[in-house]
Protein backbone atom coordinates (compact mmCIF):
# COMPACT_ATOMS: atom_id res chain seq x y z
CA UNK A 1 0.00 0.00 0.00
CA UNK A 2 1.22 3.47 -0.88
CA UNK A 3 1.70 5.31 2.46
CA UNK A 4 0.56 8.54 0.82
CA UNK A 5 -2.77 7.03 -0.14
CA UNK A 6 -5.67 7.93 2.14
CA UNK A 7 -8.79 5.92 2.92
CA UNK A 8 -12.15 7.67 3.21
CA UNK A 9 -15.43 6.09 4.34
CA UNK A 10 -18.47 7.92 2.96
CA UNK A 11 -21.88 6.88 4.31
CA UNK A 12 -24.94 7.43 2.16
CA UNK A 13 -22.68 7.21 -0.89
CA UNK A 14 -25.30 5.79 -3.26
CA UNK A 15 -26.85 9.07 -4.36
CA UNK A 16 -27.23 12.80 -3.81
CA UNK A 17 -24.64 14.57 -1.68
CA UNK A 18 -22.82 11.38 -0.61
CA UNK A 19 -22.36 10.34 -4.23
CA UNK A 20 -20.99 13.79 -5.10
CA UNK A 21 -18.55 13.65 -2.17
CA UNK A 22 -17.43 10.15 -3.22
CA UNK A 23 -16.80 11.23 -6.83
CA UNK A 24 -14.98 14.38 -5.70
CA UNK A 25 -12.72 12.53 -3.24
CA UNK A 26 -12.04 9.68 -5.71
CA UNK A 27 -10.99 12.21 -8.36
CA UNK A 28 -7.96 12.77 -6.13
CA UNK A 29 -6.15 9.56 -6.98
CA UNK A 30 -4.52 9.47 -3.53
CA UNK A 31 -7.84 8.64 -1.89
CA UNK A 32 -9.42 5.17 -1.76
CA UNK A 33 -13.12 5.69 -1.23
CA UNK A 34 -15.24 3.22 0.73
CA UNK A 35 -18.83 3.50 -0.51
CA UNK A 36 -21.26 2.65 2.30
CA UNK A 37 -25.04 2.59 2.19
CA UNK A 38 -27.79 0.02 1.71
CA UNK A 39 -28.54 0.07 -2.03
CA UNK A 40 -25.89 -2.13 -3.63
CA UNK A 41 -27.16 -1.52 -7.18
CA UNK A 42 -26.84 2.26 -6.81
CA UNK A 43 -23.45 1.88 -5.14
CA UNK A 44 -22.24 -0.18 -8.13
CA UNK A 45 -23.34 2.65 -10.41
CA UNK A 46 -21.31 5.14 -8.33
CA UNK A 47 -18.33 2.77 -8.39
CA UNK A 48 -18.54 2.56 -12.17
CA UNK A 49 -18.49 6.35 -12.47
CA UNK A 50 -15.44 6.43 -10.18
CA UNK A 51 -13.71 3.75 -12.29
CA UNK A 52 -14.53 5.67 -15.48
CA UNK A 53 -12.65 8.63 -14.05
CA UNK A 54 -9.74 6.35 -12.98
CA UNK A 55 -10.52 6.65 -9.28
CA UNK A 56 -10.45 3.83 -6.70
CA UNK A 57 -13.31 2.66 -4.52
CA UNK A 58 -14.73 -0.39 -2.79
CA UNK A 59 -18.33 -1.08 -1.86
CA UNK A 60 -19.33 -2.21 1.62
CA UNK A 61 -23.14 -2.33 1.78
CA UNK A 62 -24.10 -0.94 5.19
CA UNK A 63 -27.19 0.13 7.07
CA UNK A 64 -25.78 2.70 9.50
CA UNK A 65 -28.53 1.93 12.05
CA UNK A 66 -27.37 -1.69 12.43
CA UNK A 67 -24.47 -2.08 14.82
CA UNK A 68 -23.18 -5.38 13.36
CA UNK A 69 -23.15 -3.91 9.83
CA UNK A 70 -21.29 -0.83 11.06
CA UNK A 71 -18.71 -3.01 12.83
CA UNK A 72 -18.28 -4.97 9.59
CA UNK A 73 -17.86 -1.74 7.59
CA UNK A 74 -15.07 -0.57 9.85
CA UNK A 75 -13.31 -3.96 10.14
CA UNK A 76 -13.50 -4.63 6.40
CA UNK A 77 -12.04 -1.18 5.68
CA UNK A 78 -9.17 -1.84 8.08
CA UNK A 79 -8.61 -5.32 6.59
CA UNK A 80 -8.46 -3.92 3.06
CA UNK A 81 -6.58 -0.65 3.61
CA UNK A 82 -5.01 -0.88 7.08
CA UNK A 83 -6.31 2.52 8.23
CA UNK A 84 -9.12 5.04 8.06
CA UNK A 85 -8.03 8.61 7.38
CA UNK A 86 -11.38 10.24 6.69
CA UNK A 87 -14.97 9.52 7.71
CA UNK A 88 -17.87 11.45 6.20
CA UNK A 89 -21.10 10.77 8.10
CA UNK A 90 -23.48 11.81 5.35
CA UNK A 91 -26.30 9.21 5.43
CA UNK A 92 -29.51 10.93 6.43
CA UNK A 93 -33.26 10.96 5.89
CA UNK A 94 -36.05 13.52 6.01
CA UNK A 95 -39.78 13.51 6.82
CA UNK A 96 -41.73 16.72 7.14
CA UNK A 97 -45.12 17.19 8.87
CA UNK A 98 -46.83 19.39 11.39
CA UNK A 99 -45.56 18.51 14.88
CA UNK A 100 -48.68 16.69 16.03
CA UNK A 101 -48.90 14.63 12.83
CA UNK A 102 -45.56 12.93 13.35
CA UNK A 103 -45.81 9.35 14.62
CA UNK A 104 -43.48 7.45 16.87
CA UNK A 105 -42.39 5.53 13.78
CA UNK A 106 -41.38 8.85 12.15
CA UNK A 107 -39.43 9.75 15.29
CA UNK A 108 -37.45 6.50 15.30
CA UNK A 109 -36.90 6.62 11.52
CA UNK A 110 -35.40 10.12 11.65
CA UNK A 111 -33.38 9.68 14.82
CA UNK A 112 -32.16 6.18 13.95
CA UNK A 113 -30.55 7.22 10.67
CA UNK A 114 -29.63 10.82 11.42
CA UNK A 115 -28.39 10.48 15.00
CA UNK A 116 -27.86 6.81 15.93
CA UNK A 117 -26.17 6.24 12.54
CA UNK A 118 -23.67 9.04 13.15
CA UNK A 119 -23.03 7.81 16.68
CA UNK A 120 -22.45 4.17 15.63
CA UNK A 121 -20.14 4.76 12.68
CA UNK A 122 -18.14 7.32 14.66
CA UNK A 123 -17.94 5.03 17.70
CA UNK A 124 -16.31 2.23 15.71
CA UNK A 125 -14.04 4.42 13.57
CA UNK A 126 -12.63 6.61 16.35
CA UNK A 127 -10.45 3.95 18.09
CA UNK A 128 -8.58 3.38 14.81
CA UNK A 129 -7.94 7.11 14.44
CA UNK A 130 -6.95 7.56 18.09
CA UNK A 131 -4.45 4.67 17.79
CA UNK A 132 -2.75 6.53 14.91
CA UNK A 133 -3.24 10.04 16.41
CA UNK A 134 -4.50 11.01 12.98
CA UNK A 135 -7.77 11.32 11.10
CA UNK A 136 -10.63 13.55 10.08
CA UNK A 137 -14.40 13.28 10.64
CA UNK A 138 -16.91 15.38 8.70
CA UNK A 139 -20.57 15.22 9.70
CA UNK A 140 -23.21 16.42 7.26
CA UNK A 141 -25.89 18.12 9.34
CA UNK A 142 -28.06 20.82 7.73
CA UNK A 143 -29.09 24.42 8.04
CA UNK A 144 -31.94 22.70 9.93
CA UNK A 145 -29.28 22.00 12.57
CA UNK A 146 -29.00 25.76 13.09
CA UNK A 147 -32.57 27.02 12.47
CA UNK A 148 -36.14 25.86 12.79
CA UNK A 149 -38.71 25.75 10.00
CA UNK A 150 -42.34 24.82 9.45
CA UNK A 151 -42.89 21.01 9.32
CA UNK A 152 -39.30 20.50 10.50
CA UNK A 153 -39.63 19.72 14.22
CA UNK A 154 -38.20 16.21 14.19
CA UNK A 155 -35.79 16.69 11.30
CA UNK A 156 -34.42 19.91 12.83
CA UNK A 157 -34.17 18.24 16.24
CA UNK A 158 -32.16 15.37 14.72
CA UNK A 159 -29.83 17.76 12.87
CA UNK A 160 -29.37 20.00 15.94
CA UNK A 161 -28.31 16.75 17.63
CA UNK A 162 -25.71 16.16 14.92
CA UNK A 163 -24.34 19.69 15.37
CA UNK A 164 -24.11 19.29 19.16
CA UNK A 165 -22.60 15.82 18.80
CA UNK A 166 -19.98 17.14 16.41
CA UNK A 167 -18.89 20.11 18.55
CA UNK A 168 -18.49 17.78 21.54
CA UNK A 169 -16.70 15.11 19.49
CA UNK A 170 -14.25 17.80 18.44
CA UNK A 171 -13.43 18.43 22.11
CA UNK A 172 -13.00 14.68 22.76
CA UNK A 173 -10.63 14.20 19.85
CA UNK A 174 -8.50 17.30 19.55
CA UNK A 175 -5.93 16.01 22.03
CA UNK A 176 -5.51 13.08 19.61
CA UNK A 177 -4.93 15.43 16.64
CA UNK A 178 -8.13 14.26 14.93
CA UNK A 179 -9.98 16.89 12.92
CA UNK A 180 -13.76 17.15 13.35
CA UNK A 181 -16.13 19.39 11.38
CA UNK A 182 -19.82 19.80 10.72
CA UNK A 183 -21.24 20.96 7.39
CA UNK A 184 -24.67 22.64 7.39
CA UNK A 185 -26.08 23.07 3.88
CA UNK A 186 -29.31 24.81 3.01
CA UNK A 187 -31.59 23.17 0.46
CA UNK A 188 -29.68 21.05 -2.09
CA UNK A 189 -31.19 19.56 -5.25
CA UNK A 190 -31.37 15.80 -4.55
CA UNK A 191 -34.13 13.24 -4.13
CA UNK A 192 -33.93 13.86 -0.37
CA UNK A 193 -37.11 13.12 1.59
CA UNK A 194 -38.48 11.09 -1.34
CA UNK A 195 -39.11 14.20 -3.44
CA UNK A 196 -38.40 14.70 -7.12
CA UNK A 197 -35.41 17.06 -7.34
CA UNK A 198 -36.84 20.57 -7.65
CA UNK A 199 -34.21 22.62 -9.47
CA UNK A 200 -34.70 26.38 -9.42
CA UNK A 201 -32.51 29.31 -10.35
CA UNK A 202 -30.95 29.57 -6.91
CA UNK A 203 -30.59 25.85 -6.19
CA UNK A 204 -27.47 24.46 -4.65
CA UNK A 205 -26.09 21.28 -6.17
CA UNK A 206 -24.65 18.22 -4.37
CA UNK A 207 -21.28 19.17 -5.89
CA UNK A 208 -21.37 22.44 -3.91
CA UNK A 209 -21.42 20.46 -0.66
CA UNK A 210 -18.76 18.06 -1.99
CA UNK A 211 -16.56 21.08 -2.73
CA UNK A 212 -16.87 22.27 0.90
CA UNK A 213 -15.93 18.78 2.13
CA UNK A 214 -12.96 18.72 -0.20
CA UNK A 215 -11.88 22.07 1.20
CA UNK A 216 -11.99 20.57 4.71
CA UNK A 217 -9.74 17.65 3.78
CA UNK A 218 -7.37 19.98 1.94
CA UNK A 219 -6.81 22.65 4.57
CA UNK A 220 -3.53 23.10 6.39
CA UNK A 221 -2.48 20.73 9.18
CA UNK A 222 -2.38 23.81 11.45
CA UNK A 223 -6.11 24.36 11.42
CA UNK A 224 -9.46 22.58 11.53
CA UNK A 225 -12.50 24.54 10.43
CA UNK A 226 -15.21 23.59 12.91
CA UNK A 227 -18.37 24.38 10.97
CA UNK A 228 -19.35 25.36 7.45
CA UNK A 229 -22.78 26.82 6.72
CA UNK A 230 -23.60 26.75 3.00
CA UNK A 231 -26.35 28.96 1.61
CA UNK A 232 -27.24 30.00 -1.93
CA UNK A 233 -25.65 33.14 -3.33
CA UNK A 234 -28.76 34.28 -5.13
CA UNK A 235 -32.44 34.61 -4.24
CA UNK A 236 -34.19 36.56 -6.98
CA UNK A 237 -37.52 36.82 -5.19
CA UNK A 238 -36.00 37.38 -1.75
CA UNK A 239 -38.05 34.45 -0.51
CA UNK A 240 -38.24 34.49 3.25
CA UNK A 241 -37.46 30.87 3.86
CA UNK A 242 -34.40 30.40 6.01
CA UNK A 243 -33.89 26.82 4.77
CA UNK A 244 -32.85 28.13 1.39
CA UNK A 245 -31.58 31.57 2.15
N1 LIG B 1 -30.84 17.69 0.10
C1 LIG B 1 -30.88 18.65 0.95
O1 LIG B 1 -31.57 19.68 0.75
C2 LIG B 1 -30.04 18.60 2.22
C3 LIG B 1 -29.76 19.81 2.87
C4 LIG B 1 -29.02 19.79 4.03
C5 LIG B 1 -28.53 18.59 4.52
N2 LIG B 1 -28.80 17.42 3.87
C6 LIG B 1 -28.25 16.18 4.43
O2 LIG B 1 -27.37 15.63 3.48
C7 LIG B 1 -27.30 14.22 3.66
C8 LIG B 1 -27.50 13.55 2.30
O3 LIG B 1 -28.79 13.91 1.81
P1 LIG B 1 -29.15 13.90 0.25
O4 LIG B 1 -29.81 15.18 -0.04
O5 LIG B 1 -27.97 13.47 -0.55
O6 LIG B 1 -30.29 12.78 0.27
P2 LIG B 1 -30.53 11.46 -0.66
O7 LIG B 1 -30.24 11.78 -2.07
O8 LIG B 1 -31.88 10.96 -0.26
O9 LIG B 1 -29.42 10.46 -0.14
C9 LIG B 1 -29.47 9.94 1.16
C10 LIG B 1 -28.40 8.88 1.31
O10 LIG B 1 -28.49 8.35 2.65
C11 LIG B 1 -28.44 6.93 2.54
N3 LIG B 1 -29.13 6.29 3.65
C12 LIG B 1 -30.41 6.47 4.06
N4 LIG B 1 -30.69 5.64 5.08
C13 LIG B 1 -29.56 4.92 5.31
C14 LIG B 1 -29.21 3.90 6.22
N5 LIG B 1 -30.08 3.43 7.13
N6 LIG B 1 -27.96 3.39 6.16
C15 LIG B 1 -27.08 3.84 5.25
N7 LIG B 1 -27.32 4.81 4.37
C16 LIG B 1 -28.56 5.34 4.40
C17 LIG B 1 -29.07 6.60 1.19
O11 LIG B 1 -28.53 5.38 0.68
P3 LIG B 1 -29.28 3.97 0.58
O12 LIG B 1 -30.68 4.22 0.20
O13 LIG B 1 -28.43 3.26 -0.45
O14 LIG B 1 -29.11 3.36 1.95
C18 LIG B 1 -28.55 7.76 0.33
O15 LIG B 1 -27.30 7.44 -0.22
C19 LIG B 1 -28.36 13.87 4.70
O16 LIG B 1 -27.76 13.72 5.95
C20 LIG B 1 -29.27 15.09 4.70
O17 LIG B 1 -29.93 15.26 5.94
C21 LIG B 1 -29.55 17.41 2.71
Amino acid sequence: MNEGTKTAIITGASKGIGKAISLKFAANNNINVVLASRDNTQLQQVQKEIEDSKGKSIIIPTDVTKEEEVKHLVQETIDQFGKIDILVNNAGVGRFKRADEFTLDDYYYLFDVNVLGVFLVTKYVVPHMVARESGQIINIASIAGKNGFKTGTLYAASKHAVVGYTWSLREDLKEHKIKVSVVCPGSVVTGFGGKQPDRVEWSMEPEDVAHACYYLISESENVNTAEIIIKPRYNPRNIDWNMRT
Side-chain angles (χ1 to χ4, degrees), residues 155-171:
Y155 180 68
S158 73
K159 290 300 185 175
H160 273 71
V162 174
V163 172
Y165 180 91
T166 311
W167 277 90
S168 302
L169 182 70
R170 185 180 167 87
E171 294 307 309

Side-chain angles (χ1 to χ4, degrees), residues 10-58:
I10 320 284
T11 71
S14 61
K15 53 192 177 193
I17 292 168
K19 174 180 175 180
I21 297 168
S22 302
L23 292 171
K24 179 85 180 167
F25 283 17
N28 174 335
N29 59 15
N30 277 329
I31 302 179
N32 291 315
V33 175
V34 179
L35 305 168
S37 73
R38 296 162 306 169
D39 187 336
N40 199 21
T41 308
Q42 292 261 23
L43 290 173
Q44 282 170 357
Q45 184 55 40
V46 176
Q47 185 172 50
K48 185 172 180 320
E49 287 186 43
I50 288 174
E51 275 167 11
D52 289 347
S53 59
K54 312 273 180 255
K56 285 165 282 176
S57 66
I58 63 164

Side-chain angles (χ1 to χ4, degrees), residues 12-18 36-39 62-65 90-93 113 140-143 155 159 185-188 190-193:
S14 61
K15 53 192 177 193
I17 292 168
S37 73
R38 296 162 306 169
D39 187 336
T62 308
D63 182 334
V64 295
T65 70
N90 163 78
V93 290
V113 183
I140 308 298
S142 170
I143 197 72
Y155 180 68
K159 290 300 185 175
S187 196
V188 179
T190 67
F192 184 68

Side-chain angles (χ1 to χ4, degrees), residues 27-146:
N28 174 335
N29 59 15
N30 277 329
I31 302 179
N32 291 315
V33 175
V34 179
L35 305 168
S37 73
R38 296 162 306 169
D39 187 336
N40 199 21
T41 308
Q42 292 261 23
L43 290 173
Q44 282 170 357
Q45 184 55 40
V46 176
Q47 185 172 50
K48 185 172 180 320
E49 287 186 43
I50 288 174
E51 275 167 11
D52 289 347
S53 59
K54 312 273 180 255
K56 285 165 282 176
S57 66
I58 63 164
I59 293 171
I60 307 180
T62 308
D63 182 334
V64 295
T65 70
K66 300 213 160 83
E67 186 172 18
E68 289 310 313
E69 293 189 24
V70 170
K71 282 187 187 173
H72 174 259
L73 165 68
V74 172
Q75 195 51 53
E76 187 66 23
T77 304
I78 293 293
D79 290 349
Q80 295 228 20
F81 299 115
K83 61 184 180 137
I84 301 165
D85 299 284
I86 300 164
L87 165 64
V88 183
N89 280 309
N90 163 78
V93 290
R95 278 182 186 168
F96 307 98
K97 300 175 186 176
R98 203 175 73 181
D100 55 307
E101 290 166 355
F102 275 116
T103 63
L104 200 53
D105 175 65
D106 292 325
Y107 174 88
Y108 287 123
Y109 176 71
L110 289 167
F111 276 77
D112 278 359
V113 183
N114 296 356
V115 186
L116 175 68
V118 171
F119 157 68
L120 280 178
V121 183
T122 306
K123 172 178 168 56
Y124 288 104
V125 165
V126 160
H128 296 281
M129 291 185 171
V130 168
R132 293 177 57 238
E133 296 260 300
S134 172
Q136 179 157 16
I137 298 172
I138 300 170
N139 291 338
I140 308 298
S142 170
I143 197 72
K146 310 298 294 181

